[in-house]
Amino acid sequence: MQNIIRKSYLESVRRNRAAGPSPLLLSRRGGTIMNSMRQAIRLEADAVVVGTGPGGASVGRELAKAGKKVIFVERGRHPERVGNHLSMIKYVDRAGLVYSEEGLNVVRALATGGSTLVFTATACRPPSWLKDKYGIDITYEVNETEEELKLAPLPDELLGPANLRLMSCANELGYEWEPFKKFIDPQKCEQGCSDCILGCKRGAKWTAADYIAEAVRHGAILMNRVRVREAIIEDGRAVGIKGKNAQGTPVEIRGRWVIISAGGMGTPEILQRSGVPEAGQGFFCDPLRMVYGTPRDKGIGTASAPQMSVGTYEHHVEDGYILSPIIEPLFLFGASVGMRKVTALPQWVNYKSILGIMVKIKDDMGGRIDLDGKFSKPLSYDDRLKLDKGTRVAEKILEKAGCEVNDIFYSVDRGAHPGGTAPIGKVVDDNLQTPVENLYVCDASVIPEPWGLPPVLTCIGFGKRLARHLLATKN
Ligand SMILES: Cc1cc2nc3c(=O)[nH]c(=O)nc-3n(C[C@H](O)[C@H](O)[C@H](O)COP(=O)(O)OP(=O)(O)OC[C@H]3O[C@@H](n4cnc5c(N)ncnc54)[C@H](O)[C@@H]3O)c2cc1C
C-alpha cells in the first residue's frame, strides 16, 4: 500500500509542477507532502475528505471509484509496524491519556484508518430507528458491505475456549449470547491471538486504511499529518479546507465537495470554526467497564481470545447496555484496575487466566466539545445505573464460569465511541449537509441519538449513501 500511496504523491507532485505552483517535495519517510520553502501548499480536487476513519474512507473510496479526484487529508500518521503496545501508544491520541473535564478517559486513534486501526472489529447493523424515525435507510449499503467484506462470526476454533466458556455459561443462565459478526478474515487470523486492539500485524482485520488504499489505486491522494482547522467559506458556500502540515506549512485544498469526517471529536472542532457553532453541544461516547474474575481452575483466559467476538445485544433496547468478553491489553490492564482499586493490582499475575466481560452502555447525550481537544462529558445518574446493572449480570456469568464472586474486580470506566456531535436533524440534514452549503459531515458525529453499539458498519453505510447522493447531484 505504501508504494501505491508514494506513486500517488509523485503523481500529485507532477500535476502541481505542471500547474505552476512552487515545487512540492515528497517526504523520504513517505508520510506527508511537504514544501521545503514553507510556502502554502495549494491543491484542487473534486472532493476533499478530512479524516480517514470508516466514514471518510467509505465516501472517498466510492467517489474515487466513480472517477472523481479525491484528496484525503489526515491528521495522523500512516501506520507502520502495528501489533505491539508501542504502536498503539504511537497512534492513539495523546497515548490514550485523554480525559474530559470530569476525568472520563476517551480513546480514539489518529492515523490512516482512524479508530479502526485499534478497533476490535465487531460488525453490528444499525438499529431500525435510524430508518423508522429519521428516514435514513442504509439497508442496501450495509448489506453490500456485509457481502463485500464477508462479515461473519469466527469459527469456534478461532473464538477459543474463553469465549466459548463465557457464552455457554451465559446461555445456561438463560441469556441469549451468540457469536458476533467480525471484520476479520478467518484465513489470516491466528488461533489464540487477541491483538486486534494493538493493530493487526497479520492483515486479518479489515481497517478503513484498506478502503483508502483502494481509493488511492483509483487515483485518490492521501496526505498524512495535516491538521485541518476550518472550511473555506465563500459567499456562504464551502469551497475547501485549510490547515497546516507537521512542518507548519499552510495547506489549502479546494474541492467541489467538502466532506468533514474527522470523527466524533475532531469534526465538531472544525465545524465550530466554520460557522456551525451548534456542533459539539452534547454527545455520546458509549462508556464501558470491564468486569474481571479469575476462575478457580485458572484455565485459558480472555487474553487468548479474539476480543468482542461473542456476547449479547439483548439488554440494549430496554436496559441500555451490551455485554461481550474483552480484556484490556496488559499495560493498560494494570493501570486500569489499579486506578479503580489498588488492592486489585496483584491480579496482574493471573493475566493469562482472567476472564473479562465488557459492559458498554448507551449514555445520555451530554457535555460538549471545545476547541483544541478539550471537552466535558459528565456521566448522568442513569448512565451509572446502566453500568451497574450490566455489571451485576456480568458478575453472575463470571461466577457461573467458576470465578469467586468476592474476588471479582473492575477496570476504570472509559469511553471509546465518541459520536452524535453533528446529529442528523439538528446539525446536518438527512443528506448529511450542514447549514453551510456544500459542507458535509460523514462519520459517527451524525448519529442522532444515544448509541451504545459498535458504529463502524453504520459509518460505512453513511459513507456509501453520501457518495451516491453526491454523484447523483448535478452541481
Ligand atoms: C479500542 C476501540 C475498539 C473499538 N471497537 C469497535 C468495534 O469492535 N466495532 C465498531 O464498530 N467500532 C469499534 N470502535 C469504535 C470505532 O472505531 C469508531 O467509532 C469509528 O472508527 C468512528 O469512525 P469515524 O469515521 O467517525 O472516525 P474516526 O475513526 O475517529 O476517524 C477520524 C479520523 O479523522 C482524523 N482527524 C481528526 N481531526 C482531524 C483534523 N483536524 N484534520 C485532519 N484529520 C483529522 C483522525 O486522525 C482520524 O483518523 C472501537 C473504538 C476503539 C477506540
Side-chain angles (χ1 to χ4, degrees):
M1 175 176 166
Q2 201 67 25
N3 281 343
I4 297 165
I5 290 166
R6 289 176 73 88
K7 266 192 206 153
S8 154
Y9 285 148
L10 288 168
E11 175 59 15
S12 77
V13 170
R14 196 188 55 70
R15 276 201 294 260
N16 278 286
R17 279 194 176 140
S22 57
L24 300 172
L25 297 180
L26 177 67
S27 156
R28 283 200 157 273
R29 298 174 67 207
T32 314
I33 294 178
M34 295 193 304
N35 179 327
S36 60
M37 308 300 284
R38 288 280 167 97
Q39 288 161 350
I41 294 171
R42 292 200 174 85
L43 297 170
E44 279 189 17
D46 290 316
V48 48
V49 181
V50 178
T52 59
S58 305
V59 63
R61 167 187 179 248
E62 294 296 324
L63 294 174
K65 276 169 61 184
K68 302 297 172 194
K69 182 179 170 190
V70 176
I71 299 183
F72 293 101
V73 190
E74 168 54 53
R75 173 180 167 179
R77 296 162 195 267
H78 194 69
E80 293 164 348
R81 286 187 288 279
V82 293
N84 56 62
H85 285 78
L86 271 181
S87 67
M88 190 185 180
I89 289 169
K90 189 166 159 193
Y91 300 118
V92 165
D93 189 12
R94 283 161 276 175
L97 302 174
V98 176
Y99 290 89
S100 71
E101 266 174 28
E102 298 79 10
L104 183 73
N105 178 220
V106 179
V107 183
R108 64 169 177 164
L110 302 177
T112 311
S115 287
T116 60
L117 180 68
V118 297
F119 87 145
T120 55
T122 301
C124 175
R125 293 179 70 90
S128 54
W129 56 253
L130 198 59
K131 178 178 164 204
D132 301 342
K133 194 166 160 191
Y134 294 90
I136 307 294
D137 186 0
I138 50 173
T139 315
Y140 174 81
E141 289 80 1
V142 166
N143 289 345
E144 187 181 71
T145 310
E146 284 191 333
E147 265 179 43
E148 208 175 70
L149 299 178
K150 300 186 175 54
L151 305 184
L154 294 172
D156 280 3
E157 60 274 18
L158 285 175
L159 286 178
N163 276 328
L164 295 174
R165 178 178 188 168
L166 287 171
M167 184 161 64
S168 88
C169 290
N171 289 339
E172 278 171 40
L173 287 168
Y175 299 112
E176 290 164 20
W177 279 42
E178 59 186 352
F180 288 159
K181 286 188 177 173
K182 301 294 284 182
F183 287 90
I184 291 180
D185 177 352
Q187 306 299 326
K188 295 185 185 160
C189 188
E190 192 177 289
Q191 234 170 331
C193 177
S194 62
D195 288 351
C196 290
I197 222 165
L198 304 177
C200 177
K201 51 179 175 276
R202 289 171 197 85
K205 180 178 88 161
W206 174 89
T207 76
D210 297 339
Y211 274 5
I212 298 289
E214 206 182 327
V216 167
R217 284 198 290 276
H218 284 89
I221 293 171
L222 166 65
M223 296 176 78
N224 283 97
R225 305 197 70 196
V226 176
R227 185 169 182 176
V228 171
R229 200 184 137 77
E230 63 195 287
I232 305 169
I233 318 282
E234 288 175 0
D235 299 327
R237 180 182 165 84
V239 294
I241 57 89
K242 55 183 168 187
K244 280 189 179 162
N245 72 9
Q247 289 73 37
T249 306
V251 175
E252 215 180 278
I253 302 171
R254 290 184 170 246
R256 177 176 160 201
W257 298 305
V258 181
I259 303 159
I260 310 297
S261 302
M265 299 181 86
T267 287
E269 276 196 35
I270 297 170
L271 293 184
Q272 285 172 26
R273 290 198 180 96
S274 310
V276 189
E278 55 274 40
Q281 308 306 318
F283 69 109
F284 62 78
C285 67
D286 296 358
L288 56 95
R289 174 186 299 163
M290 314 296 176
V291 185
Y292 294 125
T294 311
R296 284 179 282 274
D297 61 21
K298 296 217 170 151
I300 296 175
T302 304
S304 304
Q307 309 289 289
M308 214 183 164
S309 294
V310 301
T312 186
Y313 300 120
E314 68 181 300
H315 313 281
H316 183 255
V317 174
E318 291 280 306
D319 293 322
Y321 64 87
I322 65 171
L323 298 175
S324 180
I326 292 195
I327 188 166
E328 293 148 292
L330 188 57
F331 77 99
L332 201 61
F333 171 84
S336 173
V337 301
M339 273 161 72
R340 182 100 198 185
K341 195 172 175 199
V342 80
T343 52
L345 208 49
Q347 293 287 351
W348 207 336
V349 295
N350 296 322
Y351 185 72
K352 289 205 159 155
S353 307
I354 290 168
L355 295 172
I357 299 178
M358 175 186 69
V359 181
K360 174 180 278 299
I361 65 157
K362 180 166 66 166
D363 54 324
D364 293 336
M365 302 289 251
R368 48 157 220 287
I369 308 281
D370 294 331
L371 298 176
D372 299 323
K374 298 198 181 90
F375 64 102
S376 154
K377 179 63 194 174
L379 288 187
S380 69
Y381 176 77
D382 273 358
D383 296 340
R384 292 183 192 284
L385 219 57
K386 287 175 195 169
L387 277 167
D388 289 344
K389 222 169 169 179
T391 300
R392 298 293 88 80
V393 176
E395 286 168 346
K396 268 199 227 168
I397 297 167
L398 288 173
E399 192 184 358
K400 178 87 181 161
C403 304
E404 200 60 64
V405 76
N406 292 328
D407 293 340
I408 285 174
F409 58 104
Y410 314 91
S411 72
V412 289
D413 300 340
R414 66 164 68 85
H417 302 168
T421 43
I424 294 164
K426 285 193 184 141
V427 173
V428 296
D429 64 17
D430 52 13
N431 288 319
L432 309 189
Q433 189 172 211
T434 67
V436 177
E437 193 190 338
N438 199 41
L439 182 62
Y440 293 88
V441 177
C442 185
D443 58 23
S445 307
V446 305
I447 294 175
E449 287 192 11
W451 191 250
L453 295 168
V456 166
L457 188 52
T458 301
C459 292
I460 295 174
F462 287 147
K464 287 180 175 237
R465 180 176 178 272
L466 176 58
R468 289 201 169 103
H469 168 72
L470 296 176
L471 290 169
T473 53
K474 294 233 166 16
N475 64 336

